[in-house]
Amino acid sequence: MPNEVDPITLEVVRNALAGIAEEAGAALRRTAYSPNIKERVDCSTAVFDAQARMVAQAEHIPVHLGSMPASVHAALETFGDLAPGDQVLVSDPYAGGTHLPDWTLVGPVHDDDGRLLGYAANRAHHSDVGGAAPGSMPAGATEIFAEGLRIPPVKLYRAGHEDRDLVALLLANTRTPHERLGDLRAQVGANRLTANRLRELAADLGADGLDAAAAATLDHAERAVRASLADLPDGRYRFEDVLDDDGTGATDVPIRVTVTIDGDRLVCDFGDSAAQVLGSVNAPRAVTVSAAIYALRAVAAPDIPANDGITRPLEVRTRPGTVVDPLPPASVAAGNVETSQRIVDVLLGALAQAAPERVPAASQGTMNNTLLGGVDPRTGTRFTYYETLAGGTGAGPWGSGADGTHSHMTNTKNTPVEAFELAYPVRVLEYALREGSAGSGRHRGGAGIRRVLEMLTDDVTASLLTERRARGAWGLAGGGDGAPGRNVHVHDGREQALPAKVTLRLARGDRLVVETPGGGGYGT
């Protein structure tokens, strides 16, 4: 093998690195303040080697797969060598980020002699970072400036000391400063845990041994992915799908991909996709790359751990100024959460032509982003709530789709009703599987869900960023499409249908109904 590490050591170190990332993720969840992180697990943790290559990532959020390395590289490009105790914070989608609520923290790891061992990194979705509406994902944003505080790579910690002026600036730009500070310091603690565990591993293996083993894990992942790709038929496979709208008037926004399999290489070309739009469905290139990595891993290498080795046979081509590679100051909040899902849909649609036995029908194709904000009458303080909602997954040749499940680029959990009602002045009136939403077929798609929320306070600002409201998730091999989703506002007993993307005001007693899409069916 290129990096001379025996197979037993390779497997032990590979699992040790993955264990470090998982333990850091557990620490982040357990010490965070917001339900979005401690209940829903809307965060990711990763370990990088001394060459800034990702060698392990906890199995958290797929949309972070390709974008976390971009944040690490942005930090190093800005500051060069980082000193022991430094921690760099970044959220700028045009400098390694995804969308503004995702705060990424990057710190170097040195041994006692000052040798660089690697980097610790984590990303967490902060449920409010300012902007035009609570939750920082307003439906009508036409520039990134409306979506909240944009953080280029900045040093939050220098030589282990927190920059209190920077923290004050961050907290002055959010509606929920106490929660933001708690979540941010949980991220700091998670990186410190990663650093401690990586130093312990280096003490066992030696710094050179750790470097060699980390490099060997990357080589192993590359070999496994190339072998799997080589089993697929060479060819060019095209697929196209559309976004419902951009929230500002544009409809049927096309995303097109040509996937080329050439021996043990995979090229994903999105050059014919739509030009960037006014609304926030523009997906930064890092998000598009993340979706391509996810699709590659799902189809070709589902059992291979996530690290930079799996990306070596992959080439992602985008055209700057398009909806999959926008130019600033385009708004991007929904691109990370909604367009990423459609990018996966077109990739899987193309790969289904090459590997029909490995690919299911389309899943719900949306994260059903639901955001609420206002003043909690129980405490007199502001609150912001954010959640992505489950739906149906696509059926495949192996069986039916799963009901009420987060799929593809979101891997979060739901907020338990008890935690929801404890944290927010909202009552959950209904939370159930949605009958009749699954696509028909020899194997049926998964069912979506129906959730009804009642406001227990006045003047609540709600935002919905959703997709698959105009048309359902497509079936495969003759299977039927899943039912589209539906959004409804109930005021004084009267129902009003809502668009896929909307920001509106709700009064005490109003109800917000979200019915999520079902998955596509498989077979006749």
Side-chain angles (χ1 to χ4, degrees), residues 327-357:
L327 300 174
S331 54
V332 298
N336 181 60
V337 289
E338 294 302 289
T339 308
S340 64
Q341 297 283 60
R342 195 65 70 254
I343 294 170
V344 169
D345 286 343
V346 299
L347 285 165
L348 293 182
L351 289 169
Q353 301 166 43
E357 73 287 354

PDB file of all heavy atoms in Angstrom, residues 327-357:
ATOM      1  N   LEU A 327     -22.752  33.946  -7.388  1.00  0.00           N
ATOM      2  CA  LEU A 327     -21.805  34.999  -7.082  1.00  0.00           C
ATOM      3  C   LEU A 327     -22.409  35.933  -6.042  1.00  0.00           C
ATOM      4  O   LEU A 327     -23.622  36.171  -6.038  1.00  0.00           O
ATOM      5  CB  LEU A 327     -21.464  35.789  -8.349  1.00  0.00           C
ATOM      6  CG  LEU A 327     -20.828  34.984  -9.487  1.00  0.00           C
ATOM      7  CD1 LEU A 327     -20.691  35.852 -10.731  1.00  0.00           C
ATOM      8  CD2 LEU A 327     -19.475  34.438  -9.065  1.00  0.00           C
ATOM      9  N   PRO A 328     -21.579  36.478  -5.146  1.00  0.00           N
ATOM     10  CA  PRO A 328     -22.106  37.407  -4.149  1.00  0.00           C
ATOM     11  C   PRO A 328     -22.610  38.691  -4.829  1.00  0.00           C
ATOM     12  O   PRO A 328     -22.129  39.047  -5.901  1.00  0.00           O
ATOM     13  CB  PRO A 328     -20.887  37.685  -3.251  1.00  0.00           C
ATOM     14  CG  PRO A 328     -19.696  37.368  -4.090  1.00  0.00           C
ATOM     15  CD  PRO A 328     -20.133  36.276  -5.023  1.00  0.00           C
ATOM     16  N   PRO A 329     -23.623  39.330  -4.215  1.00  0.00           N
ATOM     17  CA  PRO A 329     -24.201  39.059  -2.890  1.00  0.00           C
ATOM     18  C   PRO A 329     -25.496  38.256  -2.941  1.00  0.00           C
ATOM     19  O   PRO A 329     -26.447  38.560  -2.213  1.00  0.00           O
ATOM     20  CB  PRO A 329     -24.471  40.470  -2.374  1.00  0.00           C
ATOM     21  CG  PRO A 329     -24.891  41.224  -3.610  1.00  0.00           C
ATOM     22  CD  PRO A 329     -24.080  40.648  -4.736  1.00  0.00           C
ATOM     23  N   ALA A 330     -25.580  37.231  -3.784  1.00  0.00           N
ATOM     24  CA  ALA A 330     -26.807  36.441  -3.891  1.00  0.00           C
ATOM     25  C   ALA A 330     -27.209  35.867  -2.537  1.00  0.00           C
ATOM     26  O   ALA A 330     -26.364  35.435  -1.748  1.00  0.00           O
ATOM     27  CB  ALA A 330     -26.598  35.309  -4.891  1.00  0.00           C
ATOM     28  N   SER A 331     -28.497  35.842  -2.272  1.00  0.00           N
ATOM     29  CA  SER A 331     -29.005  35.215  -1.052  1.00  0.00           C
ATOM     30  C   SER A 331     -28.951  33.699  -1.205  1.00  0.00           C
ATOM     31  O   SER A 331     -29.151  33.170  -2.305  1.00  0.00           O
ATOM     32  CB  SER A 331     -30.437  35.679  -0.761  1.00  0.00           C
ATOM     33  OG  SER A 331     -31.271  35.451  -1.893  1.00  0.00           O
ATOM     34  N   VAL A 332     -28.684  32.992  -0.104  1.00  0.00           N
ATOM     35  CA  VAL A 332     -28.377  31.558  -0.196  1.00  0.00           C
ATOM     36  C   VAL A 332     -29.022  30.705   0.890  1.00  0.00           C
ATOM     37  O   VAL A 332     -28.779  29.502   0.942  1.00  0.00           O
ATOM     38  CB  VAL A 332     -26.846  31.328  -0.152  1.00  0.00           C
ATOM     39  CG1 VAL A 332     -26.151  32.002  -1.329  1.00  0.00           C
ATOM     40  CG2 VAL A 332     -26.254  31.816   1.159  1.00  0.00           C
ATOM     41  N   ALA A 333     -29.845  31.287   1.762  1.00  0.00           N
ATOM     42  CA  ALA A 333     -30.327  30.534   2.927  1.00  0.00           C
ATOM     43  C   ALA A 333     -31.017  29.241   2.531  1.00  0.00           C
ATOM     44  O   ALA A 333     -30.801  28.185   3.132  1.00  0.00           O
ATOM     45  CB  ALA A 333     -31.259  31.407   3.768  1.00  0.00           C
ATOM     46  N   ALA A 334     -31.881  29.296   1.511  1.00  0.00           N
ATOM     47  CA  ALA A 334     -32.603  28.094   1.088  1.00  0.00           C
ATOM     48  C   ALA A 334     -31.764  27.204   0.197  1.00  0.00           C
ATOM     49  O   ALA A 334     -32.080  26.026   0.025  1.00  0.00           O
ATOM     50  CB  ALA A 334     -33.897  28.478   0.371  1.00  0.00           C
ATOM     51  N   GLY A 335     -30.698  27.743  -0.379  1.00  0.00           N
ATOM     52  CA  GLY A 335     -29.850  26.907  -1.221  1.00  0.00           C
ATOM     53  C   GLY A 335     -29.234  25.764  -0.450  1.00  0.00           C
ATOM     54  O   GLY A 335     -29.142  24.633  -0.938  1.00  0.00           O
ATOM     55  N   ASN A 336     -28.825  26.040   0.775  1.00  0.00           N
ATOM     56  CA  ASN A 336     -28.206  25.024   1.620  1.00  0.00           C
ATOM     57  C   ASN A 336     -29.190  23.927   1.987  1.00  0.00           C
ATOM     58  O   ASN A 336     -28.827  22.750   2.063  1.00  0.00           O
ATOM     59  CB  ASN A 336     -27.657  25.681   2.883  1.00  0.00           C
ATOM     60  CG  ASN A 336     -26.984  24.712   3.812  1.00  0.00           C
ATOM     61  OD1 ASN A 336     -26.025  24.055   3.457  1.00  0.00           O
ATOM     62  ND2 ASN A 336     -27.495  24.605   5.030  1.00  0.00           N
ATOM     63  N   VAL A 337     -30.444  24.293   2.219  1.00  0.00           N
ATOM     64  CA  VAL A 337     -31.405  23.340   2.777  1.00  0.00           C
ATOM     65  C   VAL A 337     -32.379  22.760   1.749  1.00  0.00           C
ATOM     66  O   VAL A 337     -32.823  21.619   1.890  1.00  0.00           O
ATOM     67  CB  VAL A 337     -32.193  23.985   3.934  1.00  0.00           C
ATOM     68  CG1 VAL A 337     -31.298  24.163   5.145  1.00  0.00           C
ATOM     69  CG2 VAL A 337     -32.794  25.336   3.530  1.00  0.00           C
ATOM     70  N   GLU A 338     -32.718  23.548   0.721  1.00  0.00           N
ATOM     71  CA  GLU A 338     -33.694  23.085  -0.260  1.00  0.00           C
ATOM     72  C   GLU A 338     -33.047  22.693  -1.592  1.00  0.00           C
ATOM     73  O   GLU A 338     -33.283  21.607  -2.113  1.00  0.00           O
ATOM     74  CB  GLU A 338     -34.748  24.174  -0.480  1.00  0.00           C
ATOM     75  CG  GLU A 338     -35.613  24.431   0.746  1.00  0.00           C
ATOM     76  CD  GLU A 338     -36.335  23.180   1.208  1.00  0.00           C
ATOM     77  OE1 GLU A 338     -37.284  22.729   0.520  1.00  0.00           O
ATOM     78  OE2 GLU A 338     -35.942  22.623   2.260  1.00  0.00           O
ATOM     79  N   THR A 339     -32.229  23.585  -2.142  1.00  0.00           N
ATOM     80  CA  THR A 339     -31.600  23.265  -3.421  1.00  0.00           C
ATOM     81  C   THR A 339     -30.665  22.067  -3.292  1.00  0.00           C
ATOM     82  O   THR A 339     -30.532  21.267  -4.226  1.00  0.00           O
ATOM     83  CB  THR A 339     -30.850  24.489  -3.954  1.00  0.00           C
ATOM     84  OG1 THR A 339     -31.748  25.608  -3.955  1.00  0.00           O
ATOM     85  CG2 THR A 339     -30.340  24.262  -5.357  1.00  0.00           C
ATOM     86  N   SER A 340     -30.028  21.924  -2.140  1.00  0.00           N
ATOM     87  CA  SER A 340     -29.171  20.759  -1.931  1.00  0.00           C
ATOM     88  C   SER A 340     -29.944  19.458  -2.124  1.00  0.00           C
ATOM     89  O   SER A 340     -29.418  18.482  -2.678  1.00  0.00           O
ATOM     90  CB  SER A 340     -28.550  20.800  -0.531  1.00  0.00           C
ATOM     91  OG  SER A 340     -29.543  20.697   0.478  1.00  0.00           O
ATOM     92  N   GLN A 341     -31.202  19.448  -1.695  1.00  0.00           N
ATOM     93  CA  GLN A 341     -32.020  18.246  -1.864  1.00  0.00           C
ATOM     94  C   GLN A 341     -32.316  17.975  -3.336  1.00  0.00           C
ATOM     95  O   GLN A 341     -32.302  16.823  -3.782  1.00  0.00           O
ATOM     96  CB  GLN A 341     -33.340  18.402  -1.092  1.00  0.00           C
ATOM     97  CG  GLN A 341     -33.187  18.544   0.419  1.00  0.00           C
ATOM     98  CD  GLN A 341     -32.905  17.202   1.093  1.00  0.00           C
ATOM     99  OE1 GLN A 341     -31.915  16.535   0.800  1.00  0.00           O
ATOM    100  NE2 GLN A 341     -33.773  16.814   2.011  1.00  0.00           N
ATOM    101  N   ARG A 342     -32.567  19.060  -4.093  1.00  0.00           N
ATOM    102  CA  ARG A 342     -32.858  18.836  -5.510  1.00  0.00           C
ATOM    103  C   ARG A 342     -31.598  18.429  -6.268  1.00  0.00           C
ATOM    104  O   ARG A 342     -31.663  17.661  -7.234  1.00  0.00           O
ATOM    105  CB  ARG A 342     -33.457  20.104  -6.128  1.00  0.00           C
ATOM    106  CG  ARG A 342     -34.125  19.858  -7.480  1.00  0.00           C
ATOM    107  CD  ARG A 342     -35.368  18.935  -7.372  1.00  0.00           C
ATOM    108  NE  ARG A 342     -36.430  19.652  -6.700  1.00  0.00           N
ATOM    109  CZ  ARG A 342     -36.793  19.403  -5.437  1.00  0.00           C
ATOM    110  NH1 ARG A 342     -36.198  18.443  -4.733  1.00  0.00           N
ATOM    111  NH2 ARG A 342     -37.770  20.074  -4.876  1.00  0.00           N
ATOM    112  N   ILE A 343     -30.463  18.931  -5.848  1.00  0.00           N
ATOM    113  CA  ILE A 343     -29.206  18.500  -6.478  1.00  0.00           C
ATOM    114  C   ILE A 343     -29.010  17.002  -6.278  1.00  0.00           C
ATOM    115  O   ILE A 343     -28.619  16.272  -7.200  1.00  0.00           O
ATOM    116  CB  ILE A 343     -28.018  19.302  -5.910  1.00  0.00           C
ATOM    117  CG1 ILE A 343     -28.128  20.780  -6.299  1.00  0.00           C
ATOM    118  CG2 ILE A 343     -26.692  18.736  -6.414  1.00  0.00           C
ATOM    119  CD1 ILE A 343     -27.139  21.678  -5.587  1.00  0.00           C
ATOM    120  N   VAL A 344     -29.301  16.514  -5.074  1.00  0.00           N
ATOM    121  CA  VAL A 344     -29.225  15.071  -4.825  1.00  0.00           C
ATOM    122  C   VAL A 344     -30.212  14.324  -5.712  1.00  0.00           C
ATOM    123  O   VAL A 344     -29.891  13.270  -6.282  1.00  0.00           O
ATOM    124  CB  VAL A 344     -29.488  14.765  -3.339  1.00  0.00           C
ATOM    125  CG1 VAL A 344     -29.691  13.269  -3.118  1.00  0.00           C
ATOM    126  CG2 VAL A 344     -28.342  15.267  -2.478  1.00  0.00           C
ATOM    127  N   ASP A 345     -31.425  14.872  -5.855  1.00  0.00           N
ATOM    128  CA  ASP A 345     -32.425  14.205  -6.695  1.00  0.00           C
ATOM    129  C   ASP A 345     -31.927  14.013  -8.122  1.00  0.00           C
ATOM    130  O   ASP A 345     -32.083  12.932  -8.711  1.00  0.00           O
ATOM    131  CB  ASP A 345     -33.725  15.022  -6.713  1.00  0.00           C
ATOM    132  CG  ASP A 345     -34.509  14.925  -5.417  1.00  0.00           C
ATOM    133  OD1 ASP A 345     -34.237  14.008  -4.626  1.00  0.00           O
ATOM    134  OD2 ASP A 345     -35.398  15.775  -5.197  1.00  0.00           O
ATOM    135  N   VAL A 346     -31.330  15.056  -8.718  1.00  0.00           N
ATOM    136  CA  VAL A 346     -30.891  14.909 -10.110  1.00  0.00           C
ATOM    137  C   VAL A 346     -29.682  13.985 -10.205  1.00  0.00           C
ATOM    138  O   VAL A 346     -29.548  13.236 -11.185  1.00  0.00           O
ATOM    139  CB  VAL A 346     -30.598  16.276 -10.765  1.00  0.00           C
ATOM    140  CG1 VAL A 346     -31.855  17.141 -10.776  1.00  0.00           C
ATOM    141  CG2 VAL A 346     -29.445  17.002 -10.112  1.00  0.00           C
ATOM    142  N   LEU A 347     -28.808  14.013  -9.215  1.00  0.00           N
ATOM    143  CA  LEU A 347     -27.670  13.100  -9.218  1.00  0.00           C
ATOM    144  C   LEU A 347     -28.128  11.643  -9.128  1.00  0.00           C
ATOM    145  O   LEU A 347     -27.657  10.782  -9.874  1.00  0.00           O
ATOM    146  CB  LEU A 347     -26.726  13.430  -8.068  1.00  0.00           C
ATOM    147  CG  LEU A 347     -25.862  14.682  -8.245  1.00  0.00           C
ATOM    148  CD1 LEU A 347     -25.256  15.103  -6.911  1.00  0.00           C
ATOM    149  CD2 LEU A 347     -24.762  14.438  -9.278  1.00  0.00           C
ATOM    150  N   LEU A 348     -29.061  11.371  -8.216  1.00  0.00           N
ATOM    151  CA  LEU A 348     -29.557   9.999  -8.086  1.00  0.00           C
ATOM    152  C   LEU A 348     -30.363   9.590  -9.319  1.00  0.00           C
ATOM    153  O   LEU A 348     -30.320   8.425  -9.736  1.00  0.00           O
ATOM    154  CB  LEU A 348     -30.397   9.868  -6.819  1.00  0.00           C
ATOM    155  CG  LEU A 348     -29.640  10.016  -5.498  1.00  0.00           C
ATOM    156  CD1 LEU A 348     -30.587   9.815  -4.313  1.00  0.00           C
ATOM    157  CD2 LEU A 348     -28.479   9.033  -5.411  1.00  0.00           C
ATOM    158  N   GLY A 349     -31.093  10.548  -9.907  1.00  0.00           N
ATOM    159  CA  GLY A 349     -31.820  10.239 -11.136  1.00  0.00           C
ATOM    160  C   GLY A 349     -30.887   9.840 -12.260  1.00  0.00           C
ATOM    161  O   GLY A 349     -31.189   8.931 -13.053  1.00  0.00           O
ATOM    162  N   ALA A 350     -29.735  10.502 -12.340  1.00  0.00           N
ATOM    163  CA  ALA A 350     -28.752  10.137 -13.360  1.00  0.00           C
ATOM    164  C   ALA A 350     -28.092   8.804 -13.036  1.00  0.00           C
ATOM    165  O   ALA A 350     -27.938   7.936 -13.915  1.00  0.00           O
ATOM    166  CB  ALA A 350     -27.707  11.245 -13.479  1.00  0.00           C
ATOM    167  N   LEU A 351     -27.704   8.614 -11.785  1.00  0.00           N
ATOM    168  CA  LEU A 351     -27.014   7.386 -11.396  1.00  0.00           C
ATOM    169  C   LEU A 351     -27.936   6.170 -11.456  1.00  0.00           C
ATOM    170  O   LEU A 351     -27.460   5.037 -11.609  1.00  0.00           O
ATOM    171  CB  LEU A 351     -26.424   7.541  -9.991  1.00  0.00           C
ATOM    172  CG  LEU A 351     -25.220   8.491  -9.908  1.00  0.00           C
ATOM    173  CD1 LEU A 351     -24.880   8.803  -8.456  1.00  0.00           C
ATOM    174  CD2 LEU A 351     -24.005   7.869 -10.612  1.00  0.00           C
ATOM    175  N   ALA A 352     -29.248   6.388 -11.337  1.00  0.00           N
ATOM    176  CA  ALA A 352     -30.189   5.267 -11.453  1.00  0.00           C
ATOM    177  C   ALA A 352     -30.122   4.633 -12.835  1.00  0.00           C
ATOM    178  O   ALA A 352     -30.428   3.450 -13.000  1.00  0.00           O
ATOM    179  CB  ALA A 352     -31.614   5.745 -11.162  1.00  0.00           C
ATOM    180  N   GLN A 353     -29.718   5.406 -13.853  1.00  0.00           N
ATOM    181  CA  GLN A 353     -29.582   4.858 -15.198  1.00  0.00           C
ATOM    182  C   GLN A 353     -28.375   3.925 -15.310  1.00  0.00           C
ATOM    183  O   GLN A 353     -28.363   3.005 -16.123  1.00  0.00           O
ATOM    184  CB  GLN A 353     -29.462   6.008 -16.194  1.00  0.00           C
ATOM    185  CG  GLN A 353     -30.647   6.955 -16.191  1.00  0.00           C
ATOM    186  CD  GLN A 353     -30.343   8.254 -16.926  1.00  0.00           C
ATOM    187  OE1 GLN A 353     -29.741   8.253 -18.005  1.00  0.00           O
ATOM    188  NE2 GLN A 353     -30.753   9.383 -16.359  1.00  0.00           N
ATOM    189  N   ALA A 354     -27.368   4.183 -14.479  1.00  0.00           N
ATOM    190  CA  ALA A 354     -26.166   3.346 -14.502  1.00  0.00           C
ATOM    191  C   ALA A 354     -26.251   2.197 -13.516  1.00  0.00           C
ATOM    192  O   ALA A 354     -25.680   1.129 -13.749  1.00  0.00           O
ATOM    193  CB  ALA A 354     -24.935   4.205 -14.184  1.00  0.00           C
ATOM    194  N   ALA A 355     -26.942   2.409 -12.399  1.00  0.00           N
ATOM    195  CA  ALA A 355     -27.006   1.395 -11.342  1.00  0.00           C
ATOM    196  C   ALA A 355     -28.431   1.301 -10.813  1.00  0.00           C
ATOM    197  O   ALA A 355     -28.702   1.684  -9.672  1.00  0.00           O
ATOM    198  CB  ALA A 355     -26.031   1.751 -10.223  1.00  0.00           C
ATOM    199  N   PRO A 356     -29.372   0.805 -11.626  1.00  0.00           N
ATOM    200  CA  PRO A 356     -30.779   0.798 -11.207  1.00  0.00           C
ATOM    201  C   PRO A 356     -31.043  -0.028  -9.960  1.00  0.00           C
ATOM    202  O   PRO A 356     -32.012   0.236  -9.228  1.00  0.00           O
ATOM    203  CB  PRO A 356     -31.503   0.221 -12.431  1.00  0.00           C
ATOM    204  CG  PRO A 356     -30.454  -0.509 -13.205  1.00  0.00           C
ATOM    205  CD  PRO A 356     -29.188   0.249 -12.975  1.00  0.00           C
ATOM    206  N   GLU A 357     -30.177  -0.999  -9.684  1.00  0.00           N
ATOM    207  CA  GLU A 357     -30.387  -1.846  -8.508  1.00  0.00           C
ATOM    208  C   GLU A 357     -29.922  -1.167  -7.213  1.00  0.00           C
ATOM    209  O   GLU A 357     -30.186  -1.672  -6.123  1.00  0.00           O
ATOM    210  CB  GLU A 357     -29.650  -3.173  -8.683  1.00  0.00           C
ATOM    211  CG  GLU A 357     -28.126  -3.102  -8.543  1.00  0.00           C
ATOM    212  CD  GLU A 357     -27.390  -2.455  -9.704  1.00  0.00           C
ATOM    213  OE1 GLU A 357     -28.068  -2.141 -10.718  1.00  0.00           O
ATOM    214  OE2 GLU A 357     -26.159  -2.281  -9.607  1.00  0.00           O
TER     215      GLU A 357
END
